[in-house]
Amino acid sequence: MQHNRTSIADMAKALNLSSSTVSRALNDHTTISAKTRSRVQQLARELNYHPNHLAASLRTGRSNLLGVLVPHIEGTFFASVVHGIETMATKAGFKVMICQSNEDVEHEKRNIDTLINAQVEGILVSLSRTTHDTKHFDKVHQRGIPLVFFDRMLDTRDVNAVVLDDYQGAYQVTTHLIEQGCRRIAHLAGPEHLNIYRNRRQGYLAALRTYGLAEDESLIISSDVTLADGAAGMTQLLALPPAQRPDGLFSASDFALVGALQTLKEHGLRVPQDMLLAGFSNEIFTSFTEPRLTSVDQRCEELGQETVRLFLEILAVGTATFQSRRIVLPPHLLIRESSKRG
Amino acid sequence: MQHNRTSIADMAKALNLSSSTVSRALNDHTTISAKTRSRVQQLARELNYHPNHLAASLRTGRSNLLGVLVPHIEGTFFASVVHGIETMATKAGFKVMICQSNEDVEHEKRNIDTLINAQVEGILVSLSRTTHDTKHFDKVHQRGIPLVFFDRMLDTRDVNAVVLDDYQGAYQVTTHLIEQGCRRIAHLAGPEHLNIYRNRRQGYLAALRTYGLAEDESLIISSDVTLADGAAGMTQLLALPPAQRPDGLFSASDFALVGALQTLKEHGLRVPQDMLLAGFSNEIFTSFTEPRLTSVDQRCEELGQETVRLFLEILAVGTATFQSRRIVLPPHLLIRESSKRG
DNA sequence: CTGAAAGCGCTAACAT
DNA sequence: ATGTTAGCGCTTTCAG
């Protein structure tokens, strides 16, 4: 079978016109007569013409490509953010190239190169868990490519970012537990070097201070906050002398919280009667467990949309003159049975 | 700031070489002296040179781009499949462009155009729920672009596809319920026009026949198998006269199954004592509910990897001569508490 | 081993 | 309103 890949030149020849005229007709230029335009567009349809964006991009210097770099797209959070990004980007005429770092800095570095080589007009990134510095993003700056971080970032000056107010979220949820009567609230904390986990921990500590509750190191357990980590954390907490046991738990991740819940049940303890629980992220399954789990919603779609919006602003202004900006979205506390006393 | 975007021509000038030599040196051609090669690569590093893939693609006719079109990437299934695709594609030197149809044919059509225009070298598709015919894929064929369907497809002749053996999965799970003592097994079925749901239904019916159980239309409820649909379906089942009520339920979706479970509990019924439950997809939350839910694992990652592998085969052979193939992966039944009698 | 020259498909000055 | 020409950055004959 002869593969039918019509070019502008082909159509120009067929219609006895010049390439420029055909190009203009296809792009609805005003300076083209209605008759020529319709003739061209008619033929394009007949021949099933598809423009070669590669060629157009090379010529115009505009690829209409937007690079997105996430740790992974499994799980609710990033999948939803990416969905928000995709929606907004498409609306603005951009195609999205998605790369996953698999939580590995080396992967992340390679992905950055891939995106640069693909001539993306902007890069939206959420850092991998193993990223401790961001030197590999310098070349993005050097090339004048708009760079926007979302959710996971390092606290460098002068970066564009869209983040959830993790501090506020943690503060609210901890306050809620205190108001429900908890006096010894444990915390399953995530890796310190990531802003989101550090902020959640700070918010938790701040709420304790506000209510005059003592901070207790034995109640703060750091891990990668997976389901297994949550289970292990709870085991550790239950091993404390009875007087030191927590009466409430705030987990920096819903996954870890489920692990903790399962361990509690295995020990014959009940929620919320024996311990109040609250998590973070509002994963879909927080409504599927028993009891349903209180959590903090991260407004994933909005986060994605705001990230694209910020990118578009930078693109319009130009990286050289754009004043770096950080957008902080307020979180939504969702109270469910796991944290309601009585 | 002057943006530093070095080209091959720039480097050629700097080193007093021709563009061709520089190009060859960068691509490790054998016909280049070791000295020149290292000089070039050295300079490239210093100047932070990044090749323009758009230009290379235009010249070579090879974009190294692979298009992926899924209904959405939220939820475990597609996110995992895409992850599998990404891993395998990257290994083969392809970048992945992901588009979401949002379960809308019109969107799907537009996405196909976008991918063709982007000059992708292949398209991997899982159909939207609202796709009833595949005429819009004809142009993909016409242009000789390898096309592979995965999971959701229509039963047309002569298509390349990688699917899970939904029939077998449904047959196994239904058989399991029967062996656990169920005699009246209900089925929450999905939209008939999609192969996966039709096959699950057929597998269910086949198992009933094998064991001489009568098919009962009142026990088969069709819907879009969302959580809400599952709840509604269970409400409908519980409204049946006691003698006609099911003692087991096989849902074509885990989400619908959770809806059904919640409704059962609201009615004061227990699982597995009052009804056995089993679902499909092995969503992460099937291990988080109480009881944990029996489900059929779809081997998402493998599915993604196989899809890419098939694409690579077609690419190697050429679409013109490639004999269409369908790859069917056997499913894994995961038995959990929700379907264990006693 | 290296260079000269052409061209992938498109668009945008600059003509007319 | 249309045509002419040049060139985006790269690769690849073909010729030395």
Side-chain angles (χ1 to χ4, degrees), chain A residues 153-309:
Chain A
M153 56 179 291
L154 299 185
D155 271 332
T156 337
R157 297 296 124 223
D158 280 345
V159 295
N160 295 294
V162 180
V163 293
L164 185 81
D165 195 338
D166 290 279
Y167 179 94
Q168 262 308 315
Y171 187 91
Q172 281 177 26
V173 74
T174 309
T175 298
H176 163 68
L177 289 175
I178 296 171
E179 286 174 347
Q180 292 294 307
C182 293
R183 286 299 166 265
R184 291 187 57 72
I185 301 173
H187 178 43
L188 295 178
E192 246 336 69
H193 69 280
L194 287 177
N195 61 317
I196 55 170
Y197 295 118
R198 190 171 54 250
N199 291 340
R200 287 174 201 175
R201 183 192 191 125
Q202 296 303 330
Y204 154 80
L205 292 173
L208 293 188
R209 273 196 304 279
T210 302
Y211 282 79
L213 297 178
E215 172 183 343
D216 183 340
E217 276 300 331
S218 69
L219 295 183
I220 301 179
I221 296 173
S222 288
S223 69
D224 278 346
V225 286
T226 62
L227 187 108
D229 292 324
M234 181 51 79
T235 304
Q236 193 177 325
L237 290 170
L238 293 178
L240 289 172
Q244 290 178 40
R245 268 200 198 171
D247 52 6
L249 169 68
F250 162 48
S251 168
S253 134
D254 283 336
F255 281 89
L257 191 62
V258 170
L261 173 64
Q262 291 179 343
T263 301
L264 270 172
K265 287 183 177 174
E266 281 161 20
H267 283 255
L269 296 168
R270 291 160 313 158
V271 177
Q273 293 86 340
D274 298 312
M275 194 185 295
L276 299 195
L277 300 185
F280 213 104
S281 290
N282 190 28
E283 293 281 350
I284 184 92
F285 55 76
T286 50
S287 294
F288 296 175
T289 55
E290 205 159 344
R292 298 174 202 221
L293 300 169
T294 288
S295 194
V296 177
D297 185 72
Q298 296 180 279
R299 310 170 64 192
C300 320
E301 295 247 348
E302 285 169 73
L303 200 91
Q305 292 178 8
E306 283 304 317
T307 308
V308 175
R309 204 166 286 149

Side-chain angles (χ1 to χ4, degrees), chain B residues 17-297:
Chain B
L17 288 169
S18 73
S19 296
S20 9
T21 306
V22 174
S23 170
R24 285 190 274 245
L26 290 169
N27 294 303
D28 281 326
H29 268 243
T30 44
T31 67
I32 289 290
S33 77
K35 201 181 83 214
T36 323
R37 181 170 41 236
S38 72
R39 275 178 71 213
V40 171
Q41 296 189 347
Q42 169 67 26
L43 183 67
R45 238 172 288 121
E46 276 171 21
L47 297 181
N48 204 359
Y49 168 76
H50 278 263
N52 183 333
H53 274 336
L54 255 43
S57 300
L58 181 59
R59 176 62 234 246
T60 60
R62 295 220 39 206
S63 68
N64 284 299
L65 242 41
L66 182 53
V68 176
L69 178 41
V70 285
H72 52 83
I73 51 168
E74 301 186 60
T76 328
F77 180 71
F78 286 114
S80 298
V81 177
V82 167
H83 188 256
I85 289 175
E86 233 254 348
T87 310
M88 196 69 195
T90 303
K91 216 176 285 176
F94 283 87
K95 286 148 281 170
V96 169
M97 276 195 60
I98 300 169
C99 297
Q100 306 179 239
S101 64
N102 288 312
E103 302 283 10
D104 173 14
V105 215
E106 294 310 318
H107 237 101
E108 192 170 276
K109 289 179 187 168
R110 261 175 280 140
N111 285 330
I112 286 296
D113 282 341
T114 302
L115 291 175
I116 291 179
N117 297 348
Q119 308 296 116
V120 296
E121 294 191 45
I123 299 184
L124 316 182
V125 199
S126 198
L127 294 177
S128 96
R129 218 184 268 294
T130 53
T131 303
H132 291 263
D133 79 285
T134 50
K135 270 204 292 287
H136 47 300
F137 290 97
D138 289 352
K139 51 183 149 190
V140 178
H141 272 125
Q142 274 169 36
R143 311 195 113 228
I145 301 173
L147 177 66
V148 184
F149 291 91
F150 61 92
D151 195 55
R152 295 203 209 154
M153 57 178 291
L154 299 185
D155 271 333
T156 338
R157 296 297 123 220
D158 279 345
V159 295
N160 294 292
V162 180
V163 292
L164 185 82
D165 195 337
D166 290 278
Y167 179 93
Q168 261 308 316
Y171 188 91
Q172 281 176 27
V173 73
T174 309
T175 299
H176 163 68
L177 289 175
I178 296 172
E179 286 173 348
Q180 292 294 308
C182 293
R183 285 301 165 266
R184 291 186 57 73
I185 301 173
H187 178 45
L188 294 178
E192 238 350 58
H193 69 280
L194 287 177
N195 60 318
I196 54 168
Y197 295 118
R198 190 171 53 249
N199 291 339
R200 288 174 200 174
R201 183 193 191 123
Q202 296 303 329
Y204 154 81
L205 292 174
L208 293 188
R209 271 195 305 277
T210 302
Y211 282 79
L213 297 178
E215 169 184 345
D216 183 340
E217 275 301 330
S218 70
L219 294 184
I220 301 179
I221 296 173
S222 289
S223 69
D224 278 344
V225 285
T226 62
L227 187 110
D229 291 325
M234 181 53 78
T235 304
Q236 192 178 326
L237 289 171
L238 293 179
L240 289 172
Q244 290 178 40
R245 268 202 198 169
D247 52 5
L249 168 67
F250 161 49
S251 168
S253 136
D254 283 336
F255 280 89
L257 191 62
V258 169
L261 173 64
Q262 291 179 342
T263 302
L264 269 173
K265 287 182 177 174
E266 281 161 19
H267 283 255
L269 295 168
R270 290 161 312 160
V271 177
Q273 293 87 338
D274 297 313
M275 196 185 294
L276 299 194
L277 299 186
F280 212 103
S281 290
N282 190 26
E283 293 281 350
I284 183 92
F285 55 77
T286 50
S287 294
F288 296 175
T289 54
E290 206 159 345
R292 298 175 202 220
L293 300 168
T294 288
S295 194
V296 177
D297 185 74

Side-chain angles (χ1 to χ4, degrees), chain A residues 12-33:
Chain A
K13 201 173 294 172
L15 294 173
N16 219 341
L17 288 169
S18 74
S19 295
S20 15
T21 307
V22 174
S23 170
R24 286 189 274 244
L26 290 170
N27 294 301
D28 281 327
H29 267 245
T30 46
T31 67
I32 289 289
S33 77

Side-chain angles (χ1 to χ4, degrees), chain A residues 111-175:
Chain A
N111 284 329
I112 286 295
D113 282 343
T114 302
L115 291 175
I116 291 179
N117 297 349
Q119 309 296 116
V120 295
E121 294 191 45
I123 298 184
L124 316 182
V125 199
S126 197
L127 294 177
S128 95
R129 217 183 269 293
T130 53
T131 303
H132 291 261
D133 77 286
T134 50
K135 271 203 292 287
H136 48 299
F137 290 98
D138 289 353
K139 52 183 149 190
V140 178
H141 271 125
Q142 275 170 35
R143 310 196 114 229
I145 301 173
L147 178 66
V148 184
F149 290 92
F150 60 93
D151 196 54
R152 297 203 209 153
M153 56 179 291
L154 299 185
D155 271 332
T156 337
R157 297 296 124 223
D158 280 345
V159 295
N160 295 294
V162 180
V163 293
L164 185 81
D165 195 338
D166 290 279
Y167 179 94
Q168 262 308 315
Y171 187 91
Q172 281 177 26
V173 74
T174 309
T175 298

Side-chain angles (χ1 to χ4, degrees), chain B residues 307-338:
Chain B
T307 308
V308 175
R309 202 166 288 148
L310 184 51
F311 153 70
L312 291 171
E313 267 189 60
I314 303 173
L315 193 69
V317 174
T319 45
T321 50
F322 191 82
Q323 190 60 35
S324 298
R325 207 139 64 75
R326 184 174 306 195
I327 293 174
V328 180
L329 300 178
H332 285 328
L333 176 59
L334 297 174
I335 298 172
R336 302 200 182 90
E337 291 82 46
S338 73

